[in-house]
Amino acid sequence: MCKSTIGGPGMGIMGNITFDTIISDVKKQNFVKLPFDLSHKELVAAAEAFFDFLTLPDSVKNQFYFKVDPDSPRTHVGYIRRHDTMGSADNKEFFHYHAAAPERFKELAAIEEPKVKAFFTAADKVFQAGVHAMNDLLVILEDGIPGIHKRIIPEGEHPAFYLRFLKYDAKGEGEFLARGHYDSGGMTLALAESAPGLRIGKNDKDLVEVEHERNHVIFMPAFRFRDLSDNSDFTPTWHDVVQRGEDTYDTDTARWAIVLFADSSHVNRESSEEVHTPKYYD
């Protein structure tokens, strides 16, 4: 299994992106499309490895779980199953991959299961590419927000980066797969999805459906980025996901998505109520 690392500053393939273009897009639409190293084919292959992992017995999948900070409720790493009867509006399965996962899980006998090994190899590849993209984005943001790079990627420790592989259970056409919310933490990169349905805006009054472009990711300021950047133009991105009946992945799955979340700390600061309540900024 690969060992995750965090690369140093570098512009990568974002050389034509500037702080001014980022702030302009955020002010206008609350998201930015950025170039990405991995191909659509590679991301689909990683999603398929995730679905193969999901076919394993719960007794195997449930071994892969821990919290980076035992006292912080949203620092999960590993496999999680949620139902709307658990207080969530979403029926879903997901897996959080984190830089500490290879070391933490290496002693499990189940790590040698072929479907587990294949998924972890694919997950680490996507994680590395996502971290490099986030790193390059932060280098650009340094031009307008000095110090933001070290706040999100501190030296000498695993940063608060969580790569989520997400499977939404099928619902009726037009139903919400994910109710409206802001992502907790600082920054989000939406890397890939199997179908349209993601709607983005400043709040629940101006949502617009946004589709992925191949070889691009979507940057969204999360709940705390406005404070982290000390820039009022970075309002957090309100978004939800709606099922499109003709675009279901299979009979049991409405869609899948791969998302990277980043923050300045593993400590959770905002409540579920805060991130599920729209704000109306001037």
Side-chain angles (χ1 to χ4, degrees), residues 66-70 72-77 96 162 266-268:
F66 70 95
K67 288 182 182 179
V68 174
D69 181 344
S72 188
R74 282 202 289 271
T75 63
H76 310 284
V77 176
H96 280 175
Y162 298 85
H266 291 288
V267 177
N268 176 56

Side-chain angles (χ1 to χ4, degrees), residues 27-227:
K27 288 170 69 174
K28 178 173 63 177
Q29 61 194 20
N30 254 78
F31 71 90
V32 185
K33 289 188 177 182
L34 302 170
F36 190 51
D37 282 325
L38 288 189
S39 68
H40 178 71
K41 182 178 180 180
E42 290 171 302
L43 289 163
V44 169
E48 290 173 346
F50 169 57
F51 275 84
D52 282 343
F53 172 85
L54 293 181
T55 65
L56 293 168
D58 288 346
S59 59
V60 174
K61 292 182 292 189
N62 290 333
Q63 294 179 48
F64 294 94
Y65 180 83
F66 70 95
K67 288 182 182 179
V68 174
D69 181 344
D71 296 323
S72 188
R74 282 202 289 271
T75 63
H76 310 284
V77 176
Y79 172 74
I80 300 169
R81 176 62 156 137
R82 286 195 179 153
H83 301 277
D84 54 12
T85 55
M86 300 164 66
S88 168
D90 314 335
N91 289 312
K92 59 194 178 188
E93 290 178 271
F94 59 93
F95 193 103
H96 280 175
Y97 190 86
H98 178 272
E103 183 68 22
R104 185 66 177 260
F105 294 139
K106 70 179 183 179
E107 301 298 332
L108 293 177
I111 201 67
E112 296 302 320
E113 156 66 45
K115 290 181 180 180
V116 174
K117 292 177 74 172
F119 172 52
F120 269 67
T121 298
D124 197 79
K125 182 178 183 179
V126 176
F127 182 79
Q128 298 296 340
V131 168
H132 291 154
M134 189 71 77
N135 180 71
D136 290 346
L137 171 59
L138 288 166
V139 171
I140 297 167
L141 291 173
E142 277 283 325
D143 286 343
I145 313 169
I148 190 65
H149 190 280
K150 285 189 176 181
R151 274 174 238 154
I152 302 294
I153 306 182
E155 295 180 3
E157 60 184 88
H158 289 315
F161 282 21
Y162 298 85
L163 177 67
R164 175 178 289 188
F165 288 82
L166 176 60
K167 169 192 174 288
Y168 292 102
D169 292 357
K171 288 188 174 181
E173 183 175 357
E175 293 288 332
F176 286 106
L177 299 175
R179 61 178 170 139
H181 65 284
Y182 303 109
D183 288 334
S184 61
M187 306 169 70
T188 298
L189 290 182
L191 305 184
E193 61 188 1
S194 62
L198 174 65
R199 305 191 306 173
I200 293 176
K202 291 184 180 297
N203 51 58
D204 58 337
K205 305 297 185 186
D206 63 353
L207 288 167
V208 175
E209 188 165 306
V210 178
E211 291 192 41
H212 268 89
E213 293 180 27
R214 295 196 176 193
N215 302 110
H216 285 76
V217 297
I218 297 171
F219 162 57
M220 297 184 287
F223 191 81
R224 292 202 321 110
F225 193 73
R226 200 170 191 237
D227 293 335

Side-chain angles (χ1 to χ4, degrees), residues 170-171 194-195 243-255:
K171 288 188 174 181
S194 62
Q243 178 161 333
R244 299 288 180 243
E246 69 276 13
D247 292 317
T248 55
Y249 181 70
D250 60 31
T251 55
D252 298 320
T253 307
R255 75 200 293 271

Side-chain angles (χ1 to χ4, degrees), residues 19 23 26-27 141 144-145 151 221 224-236:
F19 180 82
I23 197 70
V26 168
K27 288 170 69 174
L141 291 173
I145 313 169
R151 274 174 238 154
R224 292 202 321 110
F225 193 73
R226 200 170 191 237
D227 293 335
L228 286 170
S229 65
D230 196 27
N231 186 319
S232 61
D233 288 327
F234 283 99
T235 53

